[in-house]
Amino acid sequence: MNTANESEKNASSPEVPQPKAKRAPGKKASAAMKPRAKKPVNKLKADRAHKKAEVIAMMKRAKGATLAEIMAATEWQAHTVRGFVSILGSKGGEKTESSKNAAGERTYKIAK
């Protein structure tokens, strides 16, 4: 049963929103859940530039460079090497030559 005081309180004062309670801190990650260490961004760019320069130097040799040699030196896959050679010829401003030897190996050269 409501008394007169309770009904007066409800009618006279509007509800004031209460502040939300703060969240409790979460559990800490276990050793197995820790993220892997990442390479610094600058090192990635330096590695990429070094590999590109290495491939260009290999292709400037008199005999050029085979697809397998480039893959071994850069740890790239075959389609990545072929894409790089294609871009080097079209956007890189280098004239590239591609040929197959008797064994069927693809050789890439930069023409002078």
Side-chain angles (χ1 to χ4, degrees):
M1 288 192 201
N2 285 341
T3 62
N5 289 339
E6 288 180 22
S7 61
E8 287 176 9
K9 285 181 185 178
N10 290 340
S12 63
S13 63
E15 283 189 34
V16 177
Q18 297 295 323
K20 292 183 179 180
K22 292 185 179 180
R23 290 186 178 180
K27 294 181 182 178
K28 293 189 177 189
S30 65
M33 299 291 289
K34 289 185 180 177
R36 294 184 201 163
K38 294 182 181 180
K39 287 185 178 180
V41 175
N42 294 339
K43 178 148 176 54
L44 289 175
K45 288 183 181 180
D47 286 348
R48 191 175 303 137
H50 177 70
K51 286 184 180 182
K52 288 178 181 181
E54 188 175 355
V55 172
I56 292 170
M58 290 173 71
M59 290 174 63
K60 285 185 177 180
R61 298 185 303 199
K63 64 176 186 169
T66 64
L67 180 64
E69 289 173 338
I70 296 172
M71 287 173 57
T74 59
E75 298 178 356
W76 288 346
Q77 294 182 1
H79 67 275
T80 306
V81 174
R82 289 191 298 265
F84 175 73
V85 171
S86 173
I87 290 173
L88 186 64
S90 63
K91 294 182 181 177
E94 302 282 351
K95 294 209 175 210
T96 58
E97 297 175 354
S98 172
S99 61
K100 277 191 177 181
N101 61 10
E105 292 180 318
R106 179 69 59 185
T107 303
Y108 298 102
K109 294 181 189 178
I110 293 180
K112 294 182 180 181

